[in-house]
Amino acid sequence: MWRDFPARLAARTGCGALIYSRYGHGQSDVLAEPRPLDFMAHEGAVVLPEILRTLALDDVVLVGHSDGGTAALHYAARGLPLRALVVVAPHVRTEAATRDATAEQQHSWPGSVLRERLGRYHRDVDATFNGWAEVWARLHASGWTIEGELARIGCPVLAVQGHQDTHGTMMQIERIAELARGAVRLEKLDQCGHDPFRDQPDRMLALVAEFVSRSAP
């Protein structure tokens, strides 16, 4: 779904690229049970470290989008090996925009254009979407936040948000800048929704490549 962005970024930076679909997404195993409320923390603090250890990778720049960005924040908060972090449209707490957008998508899901489009990329598109929508409804009801984790992040962070993102406001990345210990660069993109890699691929390529270059040892 990120199209040719990972390949272009690898070529631009000279870095290798590891791209994987988390459990319940893409061609990974189909979601078989309700997601727990801490699923993003589990992905960042347990699954991702295991992947990197298995592949013997310890000098990495994580690039995460939306829930994947939140998982990457959890990884960084654990003080694990990390050169730098790029989070795009991440979630650090519940807010009305996310709640309303999720509810609207859930209501219109059967027969929607979104279902048809996502069906091209996921082994079981209904399990993927419903697992996501249902856990987010529970997160909103619980008053979920990871703000307490952000103070543990000491690596450089690039945080990107689109002004037209229906799933989150600028508050999400601003809280990272307010609370993280390390240097945080905020990029707020005009005419950009929840998927900057698709809405503004050239701008995103330049931003991330420059950030990676500045983070070189």
Side-chain angles (χ1 to χ4, degrees), residues 164-175:
Q164 284 70 45
D165 188 346
T166 57
H167 286 75
T169 69
M170 292 298 166
M171 177 271 292
Q172 303 290 344
I173 62 172
E174 289 169 353
R175 292 299 284 161

Side-chain angles (χ1 to χ4, degrees), residues 5 9 61-64 69 72-73 83-90 153 155-161 173 176-177 182-189 197 203-212 214-215:
F5 185 87
L9 182 61
V61 177
L62 294 180
V63 181
L73 289 167
R83 183 190 299 184
L85 173 63
V86 179
V87 289
V88 184
I153 297 175
C155 70
V157 180
L158 170 63
V160 183
Q161 186 83 25
I173 62 172
I176 299 172
V184 179
R185 174 180 173 184
L186 301 185
E187 289 290 342
K188 303 177 180 182
L189 304 183
F197 299 108
R203 175 64 173 152
M204 284 298 300
L205 182 65
L207 283 174
V208 179
E210 179 192 11
F211 178 72
V212 171
R214 288 178 178 271
S215 302

Side-chain angles (χ1 to χ4, degrees), residues 47-71:
V47 177
L48 180 54
E50 182 177 348
I51 290 171
L52 297 179
R53 282 195 302 268
T54 300
L55 297 175
L57 298 175
D58 59 6
D59 180 22
V60 298
V61 177
L62 294 180
V63 181
H65 171 250
S66 193
D67 290 7
T70 304

